[in-house]
Amino acid sequence: SHFKLHIAIDFGTDGCGLAFAYNGKVTIYNKWRGQQINSKSGAANKKKTKTQLILNEQNEVTCFGNAAKFTYFNFSTTVQQKKRFFERFKMALYEEDMRQSDNIVESDDEKKRNEVDTADFLIASNGERTVAKSVFIAAFKHLHQVANDFIPVKVTNGATIPMEQCQWVVTVPAIWSEKAKSKMRDWIIEAGLAKSDIIDHCLIVYEPDCASLSIQEQYFKDVQRGNYNNQCYDLEDEKG
């Protein structure tokens, strides 16, 4: 691969995370604002933040993640009615399709996965209808800036990596159709993260595939270190 830096966005239904792979080392972003405290361990979960944001009139993110909800609910009722707060908006993209698919009876021998497309509009907390594309492009632009601020300080030790040598990897649910994946790729390109004329500049990958590869990698590492003793590997969804 000609890419020197790989940037992954785990754009989850509940939580969102960022990770970077550079020179054989993986770095997980851990500077999210307004992190919640884990009720079991008493420690802050810094690896992920909530998939929620506030948009201004110019469709720009003014607050993202856990901090967005805290900020929104500290507004007066009058101000809240003027603000567009989106919470778990990735789920809202396809939950209507999911409700419709629940009423479809499939034959026993049907092997094709019941794929869903994404909605064209999202509803903000104040009831305002917003084009889904605008919400996601704003989110990707914000995450792009977060990554750009973090990379030279914590990932590349000051080295500047040209945009053309940075590959973006974004996760999506396994139930998404190819049309939905293509739409997500277009939004990422429009947000300025990747270029359409560079092959594999942006990869849209299924979440279970990423989890499976992670377990395989851990298995081979354990074998090489002599730590493997017929143990099982648990896979957990670490929510933001």
Side-chain angles (χ1 to χ4, degrees), residues 13-155:
T13 300
D14 185 74
C16 183
L18 273 172
F20 312 85
Y22 179 70
N23 280 347
K25 179 183 177 182
V26 174
T27 304
I28 299 176
Y29 183 81
N30 60 359
K31 301 295 182 180
W32 300 111
R33 290 177 54 208
Q35 292 309 100
Q36 292 181 332
I37 302 300
N38 186 297
S39 58
K40 293 182 180 179
S41 66
N45 176 11
K46 296 182 179 180
K47 293 182 180 180
K48 299 184 79 173
T49 192
K50 292 292 185 180
T51 307
Q52 51 199 22
L53 55 81
I54 298 174
L55 286 187
N56 62 16
E57 295 179 356
Q58 290 74 41
N59 287 331
E60 299 168 334
V61 173
T62 59
C63 204
F64 188 90
N66 291 333
K69 189 170 187 176
F70 177 82
T71 299
Y72 179 76
F73 283 102
N74 274 279
F75 288 142
S76 67
T77 302
T78 302
V79 174
Q80 285 182 5
Q81 292 173 351
K82 299 177 181 179
K83 298 290 184 179
R84 287 180 296 165
F85 172 66
F86 296 90
E87 184 177 24
R88 294 172 62 87
F89 55 90
K90 184 181 174 187
M91 172 65 81
L93 265 182
Y94 56 90
E95 60 184 4
E96 180 61 33
D97 243 342
M98 289 292 292
R99 285 193 291 268
Q100 293 176 0
S101 67
D102 286 342
N103 298 323
I104 299 175
V105 178
E106 299 179 353
S107 60
D108 293 337
D109 60 351
E110 187 174 1
K111 302 296 183 182
K112 184 178 180 180
R113 182 183 57 214
N114 186 23
E115 298 179 330
V116 299
D117 292 328
T118 56
D120 293 325
F121 294 90
L122 295 173
I123 307 299
S125 56
N126 63 356
E128 187 172 333
R129 196 166 180 251
T130 304
V131 177
K133 171 182 176 180
S134 299
V135 178
F136 273 83
I137 287 178
F140 282 127
K141 284 183 177 180
H142 176 77
L143 292 172
H144 190 195
Q145 186 59 55
V146 169
N148 285 341
D149 292 341
F150 185 77
I151 288 170
V153 179
K154 297 293 185 179
V155 180

Side-chain angles (χ1 to χ4, degrees), residues 164-196:
E164 292 77 11
Q165 295 178 5
C166 299
Q167 182 185 52
W168 292 82
V169 182
V170 181
T171 63
V172 297
I175 58 173
W176 277 25
S177 67
E178 288 300 318
K179 178 181 177 181
K181 287 173 62 180
S182 178
K183 190 183 295 185
M184 183 69 79
R185 183 180 292 106
D186 290 342
W187 293 345
I188 291 169
I189 291 172
E190 192 165 342
L193 280 67
K195 294 184 177 180
S196 59

Side-chain angles (χ1 to χ4, degrees), residues 9-13 90 94 113 169-176 181 204-217 235-237:
I9 300 177
D10 179 12
F11 215 135
T13 300
K90 184 181 174 187
Y94 56 90
R113 182 183 57 214
V169 182
V170 181
T171 63
V172 297
I175 58 173
W176 277 25
K181 287 173 62 180
I204 307 297
V205 295
Y206 288 131
E207 292 162 352
D209 293 342
C210 293
S212 176
L213 287 172
S214 178
I215 290 177
Q216 291 180 50
E217 181 183 15
L235 179 64
E236 296 182 4
D237 182 9

